[in-house]
Structure formats: C-alpha cells, structure tokens
Amino acid sequence: MNKWFNKYAIVILSILIADLLSLYALNVLNHFRADSHPYQSAAITMAVAVGIFYPTLKFLEKHLKNFSGKIMKQSTKVAGNHLVGRLLGFVFALLVLWMGYTHAIYNSNPFVDAKKWVVEKF
C-alpha cells in the first residue's frame, strides 16, 4: 500500500509542479500575446509548454523521489504511522502547490489573504 501511495503521490506532484512552472512562464508571455498574431501566439504557447513540461518531468522523475522520500520519512516520524505520515506529507505538498497556483493565476499572496480573513472573522 505504501509503495502504491508513493508512486501516485510522486506522479501527481510532478504533474502539478510542471503545470505550475508552465503557468508562471505563460504569465510572462501574456504581454507578448497581446501584441502578436493568434497563430503565432498559439505556436509559442505550445513550444513553451513542451519546453517546460518535458525537462521538468524528467528532472522531477529523478529528484522528486529522493525529496518526497525525505518528506515522507519526516512526516512518518511526526505521525508515527507510515500511511498517515505519508498522507500528511502529501497534503502538505499539495497545500504549498495550491498557494503557488493562487499566486500564479490570481497574483495574490495567500498569506496576506489568510491574515485578512482571520482578522475579519475574529
């Protein structure tokens, strides 16, 4: 069960990290898109997607296994249970990626927004 969970956690995190990097790169290209022809813009967007996804996934395939292994070991020590610890580590990684997505898509700082939300509620 642990190997199965690790395998799919690594795949999910790799995809999300590659997509997040792609989002940041495409945000930079948004300024260029406004001034270019739609077909040219689509071709550049496709090239950026391939240029980011392939190397990122190859890099993450190697290094994310080691990194996730360290996170999973630490979270297992905290939780005491292997499966619960791995789940906590995975949820923590998803939370960090979620903050990155909110910043990339909406250009917002999740920490500042969370502080405002807590101050408004209490």
Side-chain angles (χ1 to χ4, degrees), residues 19-83:
D19 187 48
L20 182 61
L21 292 174
S22 177
L23 276 173
Y24 277 113
L26 291 175
N27 284 341
V28 170
L29 290 176
N30 275 341
H31 301 292
F32 178 74
R33 263 192 250 177
D35 299 332
S36 67
H37 194 272
Y39 296 112
Q40 181 183 15
S41 174
I44 291 171
T45 302
M46 290 168 62
V48 167
V50 170
I52 289 176
F53 270 98
Y54 182 73
T56 302
L57 290 175
K58 280 297 190 188
F59 175 79
L60 290 176
E61 183 180 349
K62 273 186 189 173
H63 300 288
L64 194 61
K65 287 182 184 178
N66 294 333
F67 182 67
S68 67
K70 290 177 184 177
I71 289 175
M72 297 299 181
K73 284 180 185 177
Q74 290 298 327
S75 59
T76 300
K77 286 180 185 178
V78 171
N81 184 334
H82 286 289
L83 186 59

Side-chain angles (χ1 to χ4, degrees), residues 55-117:
T56 302
L57 290 175
K58 280 297 190 188
F59 175 79
L60 290 176
E61 183 180 349
K62 273 186 189 173
H63 300 288
L64 194 61
K65 287 182 184 178
N66 294 333
F67 182 67
S68 67
K70 290 177 184 177
I71 289 175
M72 297 299 181
K73 284 180 185 177
Q74 290 298 327
S75 59
T76 300
K77 286 180 185 178
V78 171
N81 184 334
H82 286 289
L83 186 59
V84 172
R86 291 173 193 269
L87 185 61
L88 287 175
F90 179 66
V91 168
F92 176 74
L94 285 178
L95 181 64
V96 170
L97 285 169
W98 175 65
M99 287 191 254
Y101 269 85
T102 58
H103 183 264
I105 295 170
Y106 300 107
N107 199 23
S108 65
N109 186 344
F111 294 113
V112 172
D113 294 342
K115 183 179 175 183
K116 288 179 186 177
W117 180 75

